[in-house]
Amino acid sequence: MRPHRVVALLSPPQSPFELACASEVFGTDPQDGPARYSFRVCAEQPGPLRTTAGFTMLVDAGLAALEEADTVVVPGYRQHGTPVPATVTDALRAAHRRGARIVAICTGAFVLAGAGLLDGRRATTHWRSTARLAAAFPEVQVDQDVLFVDHGDVATSAGTGAGIDLCLHLVRSDHGAAYAARIARNMVLPPHREGSQLQYAAPPPPARADDSLAPLLEWASSRLGSRLTLDRLAAHAGLSGRTLARRFTEQLGTSPGQWLLGQRLDAARALLEQTDLPVETIADRVGLASAVNLRRRFRAHLGTTPGAYRRTFGGR
């Protein structure tokens, strides 16, 4: 099976940080298996391309590269107030009509909106740019309170960190949770964040070193099969339930309950992919109590059933 072809469409001045979100996720070959993706970059005009970091990149491919892309990533757009060139919007629309998935990281949403790919749809971008996106493209339903929005054929993310979240989400959709977890571990990243979590629109108060939730998260992740109530989590952390909930919001952008559910669903996905355990056993191991509850959670959060998920991603 040939690798899924990912092409990043760059524009001057290009942010290397947003480009790195896509290249790290899609462009790094795993050491313990075949590559599932190929990655390259292109621009409207091949040649030297300025970056926001003060150096110049040499881009050897033009817009023709989009004709063979399975996924097109637009990692930011810094030409504020400047219309997207018609050659770029035409190439994006053509790739979308052909069936390519079109993805924007941060202000790359302006390029997708300029191509008309977000008309009548929810979309997001960095919280500092959501008002500008809504004003420039009133037909787009701009949501400033999420990390990313994925419609299947088109997806947008908030800032750089959310771009990584979106790229890993796409990998999970393509190849399952276990493969995405391998990439995340290689990037030394914590468990993924769901797209519905809030952006950090204002910086939280500085946390002291001993305020970190990392020890608690590691402890809870190793005990998913046990009863982990808010009171038990708070007691282990030596905090009140209210203080713990506030720190989850500040550091993770979610509640303890939602974080715990995400961990349990991820653990269930990995077991479905890598084992032949019955669904009832998996539900018990990850702390979801019963096969009925696991199926209900899968349907609500993933839009599928454990059995269908296993048939799609099992045995990889």
Side-chain angles (χ1 to χ4, degrees), residues 74-199:
V74 183
Y77 187 69
R78 293 294 184 272
Q79 299 182 39
H80 297 166
T82 302
V84 182
T87 51
V88 172
T89 56
D90 289 347
L92 282 174
R93 284 193 288 263
H96 182 257
R97 286 194 301 269
R98 184 176 50 77
R101 179 171 59 193
I102 314 297
V103 177
I105 295 175
C106 196
T107 51
F110 284 82
V111 180
L112 272 60
L117 299 180
L118 301 179
D119 289 358
R121 289 178 150 186
R122 284 177 65 240
T124 194
T125 188
H126 193 287
W127 61 269
R128 287 179 174 167
S129 299
T130 51
R132 187 163 55 87
L133 181 65
F137 300 98
E139 61 277 16
V140 179
Q141 301 169 19
V142 180
D143 190 340
Q144 65 177 356
D145 292 327
V146 295
L147 295 180
F148 59 81
V149 178
D150 179 18
H151 294 285
D153 61 325
V154 173
T156 54
S157 84
T160 304
I164 297 174
D165 293 321
L166 173 57
C167 290
L168 289 173
H169 160 79
L170 297 176
V171 172
R172 282 191 296 276
S173 300
D174 293 342
H175 298 296
Y179 187 76
R182 283 160 53 191
I183 294 176
R185 284 194 300 270
N186 186 63
M187 296 173 68
V188 198
L189 288 176
H192 78 275
R193 298 183 292 172
E194 293 293 341
S196 58
Q197 291 184 27
L198 296 176
Q199 292 191 36

Side-chain angles (χ1 to χ4, degrees), residues 210-269:
D210 59 358
D211 283 345
S212 172
L213 290 174
L216 175 64
L217 301 185
E218 184 177 355
W219 177 84
S221 296
S222 66
R223 292 165 174 80
L224 294 177
S226 63
R227 189 167 179 267
L228 295 173
T229 63
L230 176 60
D231 288 343
R232 188 181 178 196
L233 292 172
H236 183 79
L239 303 169
S240 68
R242 180 177 298 180
T243 299
L244 181 65
R246 186 182 71 248
R247 290 192 183 172
F248 262 82
T249 300
E250 291 173 352
Q251 297 184 32
L252 301 178
T254 190
S255 68
Q258 287 301 309
W259 175 84
L260 190 58
L261 176 59
Q263 300 310 297
R264 286 173 163 156
L265 287 174
D266 268 0
R269 291 164 77 170

